[in-house]
Amino acid sequence: MPTTNPPAQLKRELGVFAATFMGVGSIIGTGVFVSIGIAAGIAGAGVLIALVIGAIVATCNGLNSAQLAANHPVSGGTYEYGYRYLNPAWGFTAGWMFLVAKTASAATAALGFAGYLVRITGWDANLLIPIALITAIAMTFIVLNGIRRSHITNVVIVSITLFSLCFFILACLTRGMAEGVNNLTPLLTASGTNVLHASALMFVAYTGYGRIATLGEEVRSPRKTIPQAMIFCLLLVMVLYMAVGAVGIAAVGVDVFNPVDSSARIASLEIVAQTVMGKGGALIVTVGAMTAMLGVLLNLILGLSRVLLAMGRRGDAPRFLANLNQQQTTPYWAVFSVGTGICLLVLLGNVKTTWSFSAFSVLIYYGITNLAALQLTPSTRLYPLWVTWFGLVSCFFLAFWVDSLVWQMGLGLIILGLIWHKIRQGR
């Protein structure tokens, strides 16, 4: 009987620090620089409650992702967990939802970077899409050079972003303490329905921690490193988000976060910074926003390519996507395919629609994560069972608080994906 060689494995090169920074780089970007403004447009000052709800749900999901990744440390994240602990249909649906949502999010990050660059330089707005395309191509080539070089680039990007956000918090703190009582009072009358809608959107702002799980095959001592990196990553980001939201709204009021012009709402932190500190302060925040978008784009290409690698190995996507380079550090066809998909979506991307669609599909993705985590045995479980049940119920509950057209389109895409999967299985 002929034997088949196991697929080539990626090298384990990441420790706790590198994995934590990969997660932080994946989270801090469109989440803090874009979503707070969008969510404030829905829930007003209630966005602060939405930040807390999103953080709680993200923490439960992060712990469940961590214990799954610690027990099954391979590239692919919930796509692999669905196959291992549930069944092929669940696994494929997780991979499909991740690819669709995060490719669109990556295109949004590229467009966001281009938008901030055009804004800061005063260039012609018609250059928006060409700049976004060049940005996506450049990040794709960095990822093609391997995980180690990607990590170095990511540390530089995240460091600049963290500095700009800390500057924003400190600059707004004094005015926030003086004006906070009046500006935070509307929090008490926030609509529950609007807060839940905003919570679904804010959950997406935390979800980059899953990139640590999708890189599980490249992490050293995964059972120890992955949970530690996820917990450190989530703690750091939660503190940062809540500080940014609280001092920003306390300093200037929610109306500044929610201008009539929706395009200005995307750059809400820059507008707050300009109100409090003038053009100089706004410039620092803008630079941080630009580096954040680059960090998100870089880490999304990494995560997406690893999921596509896993799908290629199993035959849910063309098998050539599972090929690695000679050094076994990069799934080059998967990276190239992801970069191409992002560039195509840059030509069509819409920030507001993409963000809502990402909320639905990512919540479904993590709902499947929790379903898989329920199958862990007591000896392999790292956290209490109630954490998994809370994550499961909250994901499927919040998923349907986005606009009805968005979740209807999302369900339609799930059905189309399952039809494709069934056809592939029948071959």
Side-chain angles (χ1 to χ4, degrees), residues 190-209:
S191 162
T193 299
N194 291 339
V195 167
L196 288 173
H197 185 176
S199 298
L201 301 187
M202 289 313 307
F203 172 76
V204 185
Y206 291 101
T207 55
Y209 61 80

Side-chain angles (χ1 to χ4, degrees), residues 224-306:
K224 176 183 177 182
T225 299
I226 293 173
Q228 287 183 356
M230 281 195 176
I231 292 168
F232 291 154
C233 175
L234 277 168
L235 285 174
L236 175 61
V237 171
M238 280 189 283
V239 171
L240 196 60
Y241 276 17
M242 290 182 189
V244 167
V247 302
I249 292 175
V252 299
V254 75
D255 289 341
V256 177
F257 273 85
N258 184 28
V260 176
D261 183 359
S262 60
S263 63
R265 195 178 303 154
I266 295 170
S268 56
L269 292 194
E270 183 197 11
I271 295 170
V272 173
Q274 187 159 338
T275 302
V276 175
M277 299 167 272
K279 291 184 178 180
L283 177 62
I284 294 175
V285 173
T286 299
V287 171
M290 290 168 61
T291 57
M293 301 300 175
L294 290 178
V296 166
L297 182 56
L298 174 74
N299 285 283
L300 281 174
I301 295 171
L302 275 167
L304 283 164
S305 62
R306 272 50 179 182

Side-chain angles (χ1 to χ4, degrees), residues 97-389:
M97 284 290 93
F98 183 87
L99 286 175
V100 171
K102 295 303 183 179
T103 302
S105 295
T108 303
L111 288 165
F113 171 82
Y116 273 102
L117 184 61
V118 167
R119 189 179 179 95
I120 200 173
T121 58
W123 291 347
D124 191 332
N126 291 326
L127 294 174
L128 184 71
I129 290 178
I131 292 171
L133 288 171
I134 292 170
T135 304
I137 292 169
M139 291 295 106
T140 299
F141 274 101
I142 289 174
V143 174
L144 280 170
N145 280 304
I147 189 74
R148 184 171 295 176
R149 190 164 297 177
S150 299
H151 163 57
I152 294 170
T153 304
N154 181 70
V155 169
V156 174
I157 288 171
V158 172
S159 298
I160 295 171
T161 303
L162 289 176
F163 171 79
S164 73
L165 287 174
C166 291
F167 173 80
F168 176 89
I169 292 167
L170 292 173
C172 292
L173 188 58
T174 302
R175 181 165 170 172
M177 292 176 67
E179 304 290 339
V181 174
N182 294 328
N183 289 332
L184 293 175
T185 299
L187 178 66
L188 303 175
T189 58
S191 162
T193 299
N194 291 339
V195 167
L196 288 173
H197 185 176
S199 298
L201 301 187
M202 289 313 307
F203 172 76
V204 185
Y206 291 101
T207 55
Y209 61 80
R211 212 74 64 250
I212 300 171
T214 62
L215 296 171
E217 191 174 313
E218 296 158 271
V219 171
R220 298 191 298 267
S221 305
R223 188 169 177 83
K224 176 183 177 182
T225 299
I226 293 173
Q228 287 183 356
M230 281 195 176
I231 292 168
F232 291 154
C233 175
L234 277 168
L235 285 174
L236 175 61
V237 171
M238 280 189 283
V239 171
L240 196 60
Y241 276 17
M242 290 182 189
V244 167
V247 302
I249 292 175
V252 299
V254 75
D255 289 341
V256 177
F257 273 85
N258 184 28
V260 176
D261 183 359
S262 60
S263 63
R265 195 178 303 154
I266 295 170
S268 56
L269 292 194
E270 183 197 11
I271 295 170
V272 173
Q274 187 159 338
T275 302
V276 175
M277 299 167 272
K279 291 184 178 180
L283 177 62
I284 294 175
V285 173
T286 299
V287 171
M290 290 168 61
T291 57
M293 301 300 175
L294 290 178
V296 166
L297 182 56
L298 174 74
N299 285 283
L300 281 174
I301 295 171
L302 275 167
L304 283 164
S305 62
R306 272 50 179 182
V307 172
L308 204 54
L309 162 68
M311 295 180 79
R313 284 173 172 170
R314 189 168 268 116
D316 283 339
R319 291 193 181 276
F320 71 86
L321 295 171
N323 293 341
L324 302 182
N325 63 353
Q326 191 173 6
Q327 295 77 27
Q328 295 187 8
T329 58
T330 304
Y332 57 96
W333 278 115
V335 173
F336 178 77
S337 298
V338 166
T340 301
I342 292 169
C343 288
L344 290 174
L345 285 176
V346 162
L347 301 174
L348 304 171
N350 179 288
V351 174
K352 185 178 180 180
T353 301
T354 298
W355 197 256
S356 296
F357 186 74
S358 292
F360 172 80
S361 51
V362 168
L363 283 162
I364 296 298
Y365 174 85
Y366 281 106
I368 297 172
T369 303
N370 291 301
L371 279 175
L374 285 175
Q375 311 308 313
L376 291 171
T377 62
S379 62
T380 58
R381 185 176 296 281
L382 301 178
Y383 308 108
L385 188 61
W386 68 262
V387 173
T388 307
W389 277 110

